[in-house]
Amino acid sequence: MNLEDLKDKLSTELRATWDRIQESGTYNQMRDRYENMTPAMQQLTMYGGIAVVTLMVLSVPYGYFMGSSEAVGEFEGKRMTIRELLKVSREAAEVPAIPPAPSMDMLRANIDSTIKGANLLPEQIKGTQTTMGSNLIPSNLSEGGLQIQLAKLNLRQVVDIGYKFSNISPSVKMSDMVMTANREDNRYFDVVYKLVALAVPAPPVIQAEPETPKKGFNRNRKSRAESEE
């Protein structure tokens, strides 16, 4: 079927459709109403019909345009999310692994060594007690804690000892420090240091998958063995 036949067929169908529309009662009623209108109303009705048809024609590409705009916006949002996730994953991979926290005995030994290195008098050392950790850290993320009580420290000693306590291990954090003026001499301070050992999870062990020999390599190896025989 060539182009001329298609045109003839289309014109025939359109003519038949137009004839059916003219024979319908709705069309005749509308035509009668239109003919009974004044010329101004007829002109206004004709312009209104043209406007409605134009809006119907333009609504199709506008709908496609709005749909494509929404798809582009969704794509941009997902692309930005993926970029942020990749950035976070790269930053997480660059963070060095935190070593496990020392045991309570080892932590107590480090604290005693730090106090001994500060050259404190015996009456300044009030003692070290074991605690359950800190309310700020969940119990499943804490290995326990220690509370160190010292007395009659000057400001320099308070800062130096606190700095050394906070740098014992990356897995040991100072959760609190309570400092009050000494009752006998308000130039010095009684200090309570609270340390918490974090429960650092062990890194997951990823086992390498066993290498599967290639089929082509096995066939070549088998054929080489048969040729040698």
Side-chain angles (χ1 to χ4, degrees):
M1 183 180 295
N2 54 20
L3 183 60
E4 294 296 332
D5 295 337
L6 289 175
K7 289 182 178 180
D8 295 339
K9 183 177 179 180
L10 181 60
S11 61
T12 302
E13 291 180 355
L14 290 176
R15 193 178 299 107
T17 303
W18 178 245
D19 293 338
R20 287 196 298 271
I21 292 175
Q22 288 180 338
E23 293 175 357
S24 64
T26 304
Y27 173 78
N28 293 325
Q29 291 178 1
M30 293 177 62
R31 186 180 63 181
D32 294 338
R33 290 180 181 179
Y34 178 79
E35 291 177 350
N36 294 329
M37 292 180 180
T38 61
M41 290 297 297
Q42 290 180 354
Q43 189 175 8
L44 181 63
T45 302
M46 183 172 55
Y47 288 155
I50 294 174
V52 171
V53 173
T54 303
L55 289 176
M56 292 177 61
V57 172
L58 294 179
S59 64
V60 176
Y62 180 75
Y64 286 124
F65 173 75
M66 293 300 296
S68 61
S69 299
E70 293 178 359
V72 171
E74 184 178 358
F75 169 75
E76 293 291 341
K78 290 183 178 179
R79 184 173 65 175
M80 185 61 65
T81 303
I82 293 173
R83 286 181 177 177
E84 292 295 332
L85 291 175
L86 292 175
K87 180 180 178 181
V88 171
S89 63
R90 286 195 299 267
E91 292 177 352
E94 294 174 356
V95 175
I98 301 177
S103 61
M104 287 293 105
D105 295 336
M106 186 178 297
L107 181 58
R108 187 186 293 270
N110 291 333
I111 291 173
D112 293 340
S113 176
T114 301
I115 294 175
K116 184 177 180 181
N119 298 322
L120 299 180
L121 298 176
E123 58 267 20
Q124 292 180 279
I125 305 172
K126 298 301 181 179
T128 302
Q129 301 176 356
T130 304
T131 61
M132 297 301 296
S134 172
N135 295 330
L136 301 176
I137 302 175
S139 58
N140 60 333
L141 299 178
S142 173
E143 294 286 354
L146 292 177
Q147 179 174 294
I148 306 98
Q149 298 181 4
L150 303 176
K152 293 184 179 181
L153 301 180
N154 56 39
L155 287 176
R156 183 60 180 270
Q157 290 174 326
V158 172
V159 174
D160 291 345
I161 294 175
Y163 177 78
K164 292 178 181 179
F165 283 165
S166 61
N167 287 276
I168 291 177
S169 172
S171 302
V172 177
K173 302 298 179 182
M174 183 180 297
S175 61
D176 195 7
M177 184 184 74
V178 180
M179 186 172 64
T180 56
N182 185 263
R183 294 182 179 180
E184 299 177 0
D185 191 346
N186 57 10
R187 295 176 301 173
Y188 298 95
F189 301 92
D190 298 337
V191 185
V192 178
Y193 299 97
K194 296 181 181 180
L195 304 181
V196 177
L198 302 179
V200 180
V205 179
I206 302 176
Q207 298 180 355
E209 297 182 358
E211 296 183 358
T212 56
K214 297 181 179 179
K215 296 181 180 180
F217 176 76
N218 291 337
R219 287 197 298 268
N220 295 335
R221 186 175 180 180
K222 184 177 180 181
S223 60
R224 191 162 48 246
E226 291 177 354
S227 60
E228 290 177 357
E229 294 178 357

